[in-house]
DNA sequence: CGGTTACTTGACTAGCTTCAAGCCTTGTGG
DNA sequence: CCACAAGGCTTGAAGCTAGTCAAGTAACCG
């Protein structure tokens, strides 16, 4: 979902810079703002009681995030952190709701965005829960490859640790599994760089 | 989300009876209908390549399900099965879209329904992926108890197998974990019946 | 060049799954 | 009312595999 910049500005939104590593909001805090990224990358993740991290999603230019808790008035289930220097537009909840009210076609847009997120989570759930590390990694690589050309091997822009955080596996497991997948020709590894 | 019955009828919806155990749609098939339950219970689940089942959700009187793939025009990621004799209203996609078009306030309703589903999935994901069996079971029991009174122990209307299908664990693991939880006084088990 | 971050490997462990068997409870039909 | 079948529950033993811990190596960046 994304709202044109001029509408956002008209309704009082302000753009703010976030340095790489800084936080936009924290798990368990209440939402007050609608967020939309102008440039950069924001990661949503939740932390378990043991301090382990699970990446819930990565968002980039033109995308908004964190709307469900905002609409529901419930506290955030995850933390938002800039993983690159980013510029993000912030708009107070009330004004966001005014925009929705004044531009009903945005309801539809947002609805499709949500539908798509639910769809992905449903597909992911099946993988999350039961499958082998290899299946988890394959699913991650498939759904997160930049271009959607099925054929060509392209470099994967994620570290082993990031793959681990997405899949819920440990780094060592990711590495060992990737080694096996390399043997099976499912992936290519050159100079520690991963291709899929 | 639920649409009043008279609107549904006006737009050509038909109610149909489904016997316990029968299927409303199958994984990987294309969606053509909007479904809303008049009475009964419908289970959405997906099946892994090894034939293991993961319950994605249970839906009952007044609730609709399967809208995201319908809106997106993508095939179903899960199968819908009546787990009790049920009466379900079916409405063709085009007519469902007409309703949304004619009653824009339904966009908002559906949006909040979706927001809520995303919220739950995000909370669940954290549990799915990393936690111990006990944490998974506690989370399941918490989110699926009928009344939301935090105090009183009430009987859990699910079999061990159903809990296993929801949490992604095996029956034996569920049983053994419940035994430990019983020792800790987290649950009560009387005559094999489970209370939480 | 040096420090930091990412990657890799091995040994060991814990705990979930698997397999196999048996018990309990419920409902049905004679 | 009893017998029996079917489905749900329980238990034990054994195996596997991802997690853990520890150490070391390789790339990247200023």
């Amino acid at each position: 979902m994304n709202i044109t910049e001029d509408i956002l500005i008209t309704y009082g939104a302000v753009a703010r810079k976030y340095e790489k590593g800084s936080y936009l909001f924290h798990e368990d805090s209440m939402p007050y703002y609608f967020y939309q990224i102008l440039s950069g990358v924001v990661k949503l993740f939740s932390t378990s009681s043991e301090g382990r991290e699970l990446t819930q999603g990565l968002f980039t230019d033109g995308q908004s995030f964190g709307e469900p808790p905002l609409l529901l008035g419930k506290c955030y289930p995850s933390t938002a952190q800039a993983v690159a220097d980013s510029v993000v537009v912030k708009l107070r909840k009330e004004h966001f709701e005014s925009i929705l009210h004044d531009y009903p076609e945005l309801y539809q847009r947002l609805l499709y965005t949500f539908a798509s997120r639910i769809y992905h989570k449903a597909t992911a759930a099946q993988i999350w829960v039961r499958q082998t590390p290899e299946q988890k990694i394959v699913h991650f690589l498939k759904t997160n490859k930049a271009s959607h050309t099925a054929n060509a091997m392209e470099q994967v822009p994620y570290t082993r640790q990031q793959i681990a955080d997405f899949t819920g596996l440990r780094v060592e497991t990711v590495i060992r599994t990737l080694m096996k997948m390399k043997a099976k020709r499912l992936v290519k590894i050159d100079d520690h760089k991963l291709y899929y």
Side-chain angles (χ1 to χ4, degrees), chain A:
Chain A
M1 165 65 180
N2 72 80
I3 303 178
T4 57
E5 225 175 298
D6 33 313
I7 297 183
L8 285 169
I9 301 297
T10 309
Y11 281 77
V14 287
R16 203 191 126 179
K17 241 193 98 172
Y18 291 90
E19 280 183 20
K20 174 175 177 172
S22 61
Y23 297 94
L24 315 220
F25 55 73
H26 287 271
E27 209 163 335
D28 296 327
S29 66
M30 284 299 288
Y32 295 112
Y33 297 98
F34 169 80
Y35 293 91
Q36 183 171 308
I37 302 175
L38 288 186
S39 71
V41 186
V42 171
K43 175 175 75 171
L44 245 64
F45 66 93
S46 42
T47 314
S48 75
S49 36
E50 294 84 43
R52 293 182 62 192
E53 207 173 278
L54 176 72
T55 304
Q56 299 264 7
L58 283 179
F59 299 85
T60 180
D61 302 15
Q63 297 185 297
S64 63
F65 56 89
E67 319 90 334
L70 182 70
L71 289 173
L72 298 170
K74 293 189 168 192
C75 56
Y76 286 115
S78 36
T79 300
Q81 182 182 29
V83 294
D85 288 350
S86 305
V87 181
V88 178
V89 174
K90 263 176 92 166
L91 178 68
R92 282 202 72 83
K93 176 180 171 141
E94 308 81 68
H95 300 149
F96 171 57
E97 284 169 344
S98 304
I99 294 187
L100 284 182
H101 177 264
D102 296 346
Y103 297 85
E105 68 272 23
L106 286 179
Y107 270 119
Q108 187 178 353
R109 297 259 306 285
L110 195 51
L111 192 69
Y112 278 77
T113 307
F114 280 9
S116 169
R117 286 195 205 156
I118 292 173
Y119 192 80
H120 283 119
K121 293 252 186 202
T123 316
Q126 170 64 16
I127 312 277
W128 287 138
V129 175
R130 292 174 183 270
Q131 312 287 320
T132 64
E134 178 169 320
Q135 289 171 298
K136 292 185 189 182
I137 292 176
V138 166
H139 178 258
F140 168 78
L141 293 174
K142 252 191 215 153
T143 54
N144 290 42
K145 69 180 330 187
S147 77
H148 281 277
T149 50
N151 39 1
M153 286 243 172
E154 21 182 294
Q155 193 178 337
V156 176
Y158 299 99
T159 67
R160 316 287 195 258
Q161 184 60 59
Q162 288 174 319
I163 299 178
D165 287 341
F166 260 102
T167 52
L169 300 167
R170 306 254 77 162
V171 204
E172 297 93 326
T173 305
V174 171
I175 288 167
R176 285 191 255 260
T177 308
L178 284 175
M179 292 302 185
K180 286 181 208 150
M181 292 170 65
K182 178 187 170 185
K184 290 198 213 168
R185 303 288 159 89
L186 283 173
V187 298
K188 225 172 63 181
I189 300 178
D190 258 10
D191 205 26
H192 302 155
K193 282 188 272 295
L194 177 63
Y195 298 85
Y196 175 77

